[in-house]
Amino acid sequence: MTARIREFLRHRAEDGPCLVVDLDVVRDNYGAFAKALPDTRVFYAVKANPAPEVLSLLASLGSCFDTASVAEIEMVLAAGAAPERISYGNTIKKERDIARAYALGVRLFAVDCKAEVEKIARVAPGSRVFCRILSDCVGADWPLSRKFGCEPDMAADVLEHAHRQGLEAHGVSFHVGSQQRNPHAWDRALASAAAVFRECGERGINLAMVNLGGGFPTKYLKNVPAVRSYGSAIFRSLRKHFGNRIPETIIEPGRGMVGNAGLIEAEVVLVSRKSEDDEVRWVYLDIGKFGGLAETMDEAIRYPIRTERDRDQMAPCVVAGPTCDSADVLYEREPYLLPVSLEIGDKVLIEGTGAYTATYSACAFNGFPPLRTYHI
Ligand SMILES: *Cc1c(COP(=O)(O)O)cnc(C)c1O
């Protein structure tokens, strides 16, 4: 927890869980990305935390933005970034949304099939497109499915189709999986990207850009390598696969940009057991899967939960949220260690919650209000 967040929480009076994001940490993270990958442009993945304060800070630092909808594009424009700094990176777009984005000045779009290329050619003529390729996501705590991207073998056909339709076949993108803990995970994807560059080159189409995606981790319970390890591993892979013709590159960090900037303060509502001699206690918090902690799905993300009693003896607990949905259990398969002395009414601090929390919280499921957020 940063000193600024501690000070803020000391003066907070309202009831209910809240997320506090320290913008100084976001600023430092942006600087660390810029330093670790000096020749790479940063396109912040807006969905990780679209708060206006985060967007305007990053806009003022010179960041570009990866967006997935017209609403996100409008939020970025409102934060002061020009449309040339925006990528419409969702491969699944309605044609009328592409037209709206084009009207707003956006000229960079993601595709992963010919049908999407044709939509863009019709309503966003002359734009740049990059083709997303599949990645196996080995090493990621939050792997991505086969929902986005095509087999690398197909990418050259998609890009050639774009070229023939009057679009600019600009490059290749991939995402190695979110919370990717292996800095070498980019190597295989870059080998595939280089193969697409060669294949397109043989067809007379010179690609210019590789979009290295997101995946940069934030620290939860386990330590993660520093961003400079990612920078050097990626640079070595670029050299290996592209030789001395390294293309223009961009990254799209989401979690790595804002995750460690946020902290949720929550409260213990109930501590109970399912039988008198049960060893495992159930700890119910006033926040759960529907209040912002959706990434505990399948227990994928294990947030550090701190209490004021952490020096006491620890014992395994099931941790659950406050709603009446039985899916609202955070950690059960692998019980979570919390102090034996933990009591009803205790405050808990959930760390690393600056990304993928507030916007995942339901409007009012079971009457619980959405997660309150403060950006300081
Ligand atoms: C969500 C997303 C990102 C951000 O991923 P992180 O793992 O949070 O860095 C980057 N690019 C695209 C296309 C995304 O959809």
Side-chain angles (χ1 to χ4, degrees):
M1 171 161 56
T2 68
R4 297 177 71 226
I5 294 180
R6 187 176 302 119
E7 191 59 20
F8 177 87
L9 288 175
R10 213 144 55 97
H11 294 104
R12 190 177 92 103
E14 320 93 303
D15 192 27
C18 75
L19 165 68
V20 190
V21 174
D22 186 339
L23 294 169
D24 282 354
V25 179
V26 179
R27 181 191 302 272
D28 290 349
N29 289 340
Y30 182 83
F33 278 116
K35 192 159 170 230
L37 292 137
D39 299 319
T40 299
R41 278 200 303 165
V42 176
F43 281 66
Y44 170 61
V46 171
K47 73 176 185 294
N49 184 332
E53 297 90 340
V54 171
L55 300 182
S56 43
L57 169 66
L58 289 172
S60 74
L61 294 173
S63 185
C64 302
F65 297 87
D66 168 53
T67 63
S69 64
V70 173
E72 282 189 353
I73 291 169
E74 286 170 340
M75 285 153 75
V76 170
L77 293 171
E84 302 80 61
R85 287 207 263 160
I86 298 176
S87 159
Y88 197 164
N90 193 342
T91 52
I92 304 154
K93 304 173 284 300
K94 287 181 181 165
E95 188 163 320
R96 46 187 189 280
D97 287 339
I98 298 168
R100 287 184 192 117
Y102 185 76
L104 291 169
V106 176
R107 296 290 182 273
L108 181 61
F109 298 88
V111 296
D112 65 1
C113 65
K114 290 184 184 173
E116 194 72 15
V117 164
E118 285 161 15
K119 290 184 204 169
I120 295 169
R122 279 192 293 268
V123 296
S127 291
R128 290 177 157 176
V129 296
F130 56 87
C131 183
R132 180 152 168 185
I133 56 175
L134 284 164
S135 148
D136 61 20
C137 298
V138 171
D141 286 346
W142 189 261
L144 309 174
S145 61
R146 287 172 58 82
K147 180 169 175 182
F148 307 105
C150 62
E151 292 292 348
D153 285 350
M154 192 173 114
D157 293 341
V158 173
L159 288 163
E160 184 178 359
H161 196 61
H163 177 75
R164 288 181 191 277
Q165 302 259 322
L167 296 169
E168 191 176 332
H170 191 49
V172 175
S173 77
F174 53 81
H175 194 303
V176 295
S178 201
Q179 188 66 7
Q180 174 55 261
R181 288 189 285 119
N182 178 7
H184 302 286
W186 278 256
D187 189 65
R188 208 128 49 99
L190 280 171
S192 301
V196 178
F197 268 60
R198 279 194 299 275
E199 178 61 32
C200 284
E202 280 165 22
R203 302 183 195 184
I205 300 162
N206 292 317
L207 301 180
M209 186 274 289
V210 175
N211 176 345
L212 302 158
F216 305 92
T218 202
K219 186 186 175 299
Y220 297 113
L221 279 178
K222 293 178 192 152
N223 273 321
V224 293
V227 63
R228 73 187 119 75
S229 316
Y230 287 79
S232 51
I234 288 171
F235 184 72
R236 277 199 299 275
S237 292
L238 281 165
R239 271 258 173 275
K240 175 169 141 199
H241 300 296
F242 289 89
N244 55 13
R245 298 177 63 188
I246 293 185
E248 176 196 327
T249 51
I250 70 178
I251 52 169
E252 300 174 329
R255 188 186 304 279
M257 186 71 84
V258 289
N260 67 338
L263 178 96
I264 287 173
E265 184 183 65
E267 183 181 320
V268 177
V269 182
L270 181 66
V271 182
S272 68
R273 294 176 200 269
K274 299 297 171 189
S275 71
E276 292 303 337
D277 51 3
D278 208 348
E279 275 179 24
V280 175
R281 289 165 301 157
W282 280 66
V283 171
Y284 301 90
L285 304 176
D286 63 353
I287 186 170
K289 279 209 168 85
F290 302 97
L293 303 180
E295 287 199 316
T296 56
M297 201 187 297
D298 299 324
E299 308 194 13
I301 299 295
R302 278 180 92 77
Y303 293 105
I305 303 176
R306 309 285 180 215
T307 80
E308 288 195 349
R309 305 178 192 272
D310 288 348
R311 276 182 231 95
D312 296 354
Q313 194 193 335
M314 305 294 257
C317 299
V318 174
V319 182
T323 67
C324 288
D325 191 311
S326 56
D328 193 9
V329 175
L330 307 182
Y331 304 116
E332 179 174 23
R333 202 178 54 223
E334 198 182 327
Y336 199 101
L337 288 178
L338 288 171
V340 289
S341 52
L342 195 69
E343 280 183 12
I344 293 170
D346 281 357
K347 290 275 192 247
V348 301
L349 299 175
I350 309 174
E351 295 179 342
T353 40
Y356 304 121
T357 51
T359 45
Y360 273 166
S361 82
C363 282
F365 175 52
N366 245 192
F368 293 96
L371 183 60
R372 239 182 248 116
T373 63
Y374 303 93
H375 292 79
I376 60 170

